[in-house]
């Protein structure tokens, strides 16, 4: 895909620039998971391991972050480590992106902001852990992640392990349907729920072949439809925490968040941190396994898309 004409302060690494110019497969990766989703040093180790998975599958990884007033697409050298160690990186979504860039702030991109950057750079496939969605109690708080709106607007296929189980999954599916976002479970009928392969909810769509997902991505463009696709890829069985085991942990973490008055952008990082403690690190092991698994599938989809 050709990048959209723009004057954005984009700075692709030489490797990413060359791959895009030659039409080779590229997979975008987000950075909020590094700064706000996992503790040091597992965050850096995971970021590198995920890049290695993309490479092993024959594609080029492009980790995206805001640094020095530029959208860096592909973090080379010390940049990834710098970001993983930074304590004051902004969590940047669509609403914050222009301000963060105008100020020259260091910003970690969420799913929404990473999609915007990927589209500007001409990258069509993006792998992450879990997307944001409709939070439980959203009928009171109105807390609905900007990730959902971005999926409706920006033409990038996002591979995730399903919406995080800390969310209200039925409402998240309803909003995605309203917004016209295809939600495609990979290889099973049920929607996966991040740490668990099962959610108890039927996925709206199912596909078993990365080439078919690539074909659907192309077809949306041919139909003139904006927006991307959400591919929900179940965590590998040996790494999952079954839904019955994780549900009470989620409920305890949610009660803690409410008790502590956590709101807005702080909710997701707070819950992930509490889940980590409450499962004695098991939630992190699962998180790492599922991101790597998503990187592998995203690389297969990007490879299918790169073929003429
Ligand atoms: N899933 C994770 N770890 C994370 C996130 C998702 O396992 O850190 C991040 C993603 O960047 C996602 C963001 O876009 O949380 C959603 O935040 P919010 O609910 O504030 O929109
Ligand atoms: Mn939110």
């Amino acid at each position: 895909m050709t990048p959209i004409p723009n004057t954005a302060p984009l700075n692709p690494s030489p490797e990413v620039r060359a791959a895009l110019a030659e039409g080779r497969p590229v997979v975008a990766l987000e950075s909020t998971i590094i700064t706000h989703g996992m503790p040091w040093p597992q965050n850096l180790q995971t970021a590198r391991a995920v890049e290695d998975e993309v490479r092993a599958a024959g594609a080029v990884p492009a980790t995206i972050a805001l640094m020095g007033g530029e959208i860096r697409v592909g973090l080379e050298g010390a940049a990834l480590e710098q970001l993983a160690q930074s304590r004051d990186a902004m969590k940047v979504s669509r609403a914050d992106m222009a301000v963060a860039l105008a100020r020259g702030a260091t910003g970690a991109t969420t799913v929404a902001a990473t999609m915007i950057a990927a589209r500007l750079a001409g990258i069509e496939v993006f792998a992450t852990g879990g997307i944001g969605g409709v939070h439980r109690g959203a009928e009171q708080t109105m807390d609905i992640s900007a990730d959902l709106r971005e999926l409706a607007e920006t033409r990038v296929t996002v591979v995730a392990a399903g919406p995080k189980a800390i969310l209200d999954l039925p409402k998240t599916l309803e909003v995605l349907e309203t917004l016209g976002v295809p939600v495609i479970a990979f290889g099973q009928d049920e929607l996966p729920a991040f740490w668990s392969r099962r959610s108890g909810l039927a996925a709206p769509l199912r596909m078993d072949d990365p080439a078919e997902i690539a074909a659907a991505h192309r077809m949306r463009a041919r139909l003139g439809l904006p927006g991307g696709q959400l591919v929900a890829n179940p965590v590998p069985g040996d790494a999952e925490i079954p839904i019955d085991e994780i549900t009470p942990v989620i409920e305890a973490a949610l009660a803690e968040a409410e008790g502590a008055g956590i709101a807005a952008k702080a909710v997701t990082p707070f819950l992930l941190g509490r889940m980590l403690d409450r499962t004695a690190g098991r939630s992190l092991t699962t998180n790492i396994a599922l991101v790597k698994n998503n990187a592998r599938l995203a690389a297969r989809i990007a490879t299918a898309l790169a073929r003429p």
Side-chain angles (χ1 to χ4, degrees):
M1 182 178 72
T2 44
I4 57 174
N6 64 76
T7 58
L10 263 187
N11 183 357
S13 69
E15 185 192 19
V16 169
R17 194 188 298 266
L20 288 170
E22 291 160 24
R24 286 186 281 123
V26 178
V27 172
L29 300 166
E30 63 149 308
S31 45
T32 294
I33 189 170
I34 302 173
T35 55
H36 293 71
M38 289 186 190
W40 169 268
Q42 287 94 340
N43 61 348
L44 178 61
Q45 289 158 6
T46 305
R48 288 193 171 136
V50 169
E51 291 195 347
D52 290 345
E53 294 287 350
V54 172
R55 283 185 211 287
V60 170
T63 303
I64 291 173
L66 311 185
M67 289 176 154
E70 290 180 333
I71 307 172
R72 302 277 295 267
V73 182
L75 299 183
E76 290 191 336
L80 194 62
E81 178 159 357
Q82 247 174 43
L83 189 74
Q85 274 190 305
S86 83
R87 288 171 183 281
D88 52 4
M90 277 175 79
K91 175 179 164 185
V92 175
S93 192
R94 168 182 272 258
D96 324 288
M97 203 165 177
V99 169
L101 285 166
R103 274 188 190 150
T106 297
T109 50
T110 61
V111 168
T114 306
M115 288 178 77
I116 294 170
R119 176 82 183 110
L120 288 168
I123 303 172
E124 293 175 277
V125 183
F126 162 26
T128 183
I131 63 154
V134 180
H135 282 267
R136 300 192 196 186
E139 59 276 25
Q140 298 292 329
T141 62
M142 297 294 282
D143 190 351
I144 301 175
S145 175
D147 293 352
L148 300 187
R149 196 219 127 152
E150 207 59 53
L151 279 160
E153 190 135 328
T154 299
R155 198 173 286 145
V156 173
T157 286
V158 179
V159 182
K164 260 168 307 207
I166 54 178
L167 301 167
D168 186 321
L169 300 188
K171 286 197 185 76
T172 300
L173 283 183
E174 289 296 346
V175 170
L176 286 167
E177 186 185 14
T178 301
L179 292 172
V181 177
V183 178
I184 303 163
F186 184 67
Q188 65 181 34
D189 294 326
E190 200 169 322
L191 184 78
F194 200 70
W195 295 285
S196 320
R197 292 174 64 81
R198 310 194 48 183
S199 65
L201 299 170
L205 297 160
R206 168 186 175 155
M207 284 185 168
D208 292 15
D209 177 4
E212 217 180 22
I213 297 171
H217 177 100
R218 282 204 200 93
M219 186 59 74
R220 285 186 67 87
R222 287 172 65 191
L223 296 175
L225 294 173
Q229 314 187 99
L230 176 60
V231 178
N233 187 28
V235 60
D238 57 1
E240 87 155 331
I241 307 177
I243 192 84
D244 298 341
E245 259 176 77
I246 200 78
T247 300
V249 184
I250 293 168
E251 274 157 14
L254 285 165
E256 242 183 298
E258 207 184 323
I262 308 293
K265 291 165 85 92
V267 172
T268 299
F270 178 88
L271 289 174
L272 290 174
R274 296 309 300 137
M275 298 288 295
L276 174 71
D277 291 344
R278 288 177 169 278
T279 60
R282 191 169 163 213
S283 69
L284 180 59
T285 308
T286 303
N287 201 342
I288 294 168
L290 66 83
V291 187
K292 288 163 71 174
N293 189 46
N294 294 343
R296 288 190 287 273
L297 177 56
R300 292 171 69 195
I301 298 168
T303 301
L305 269 177
R307 288 196 194 107

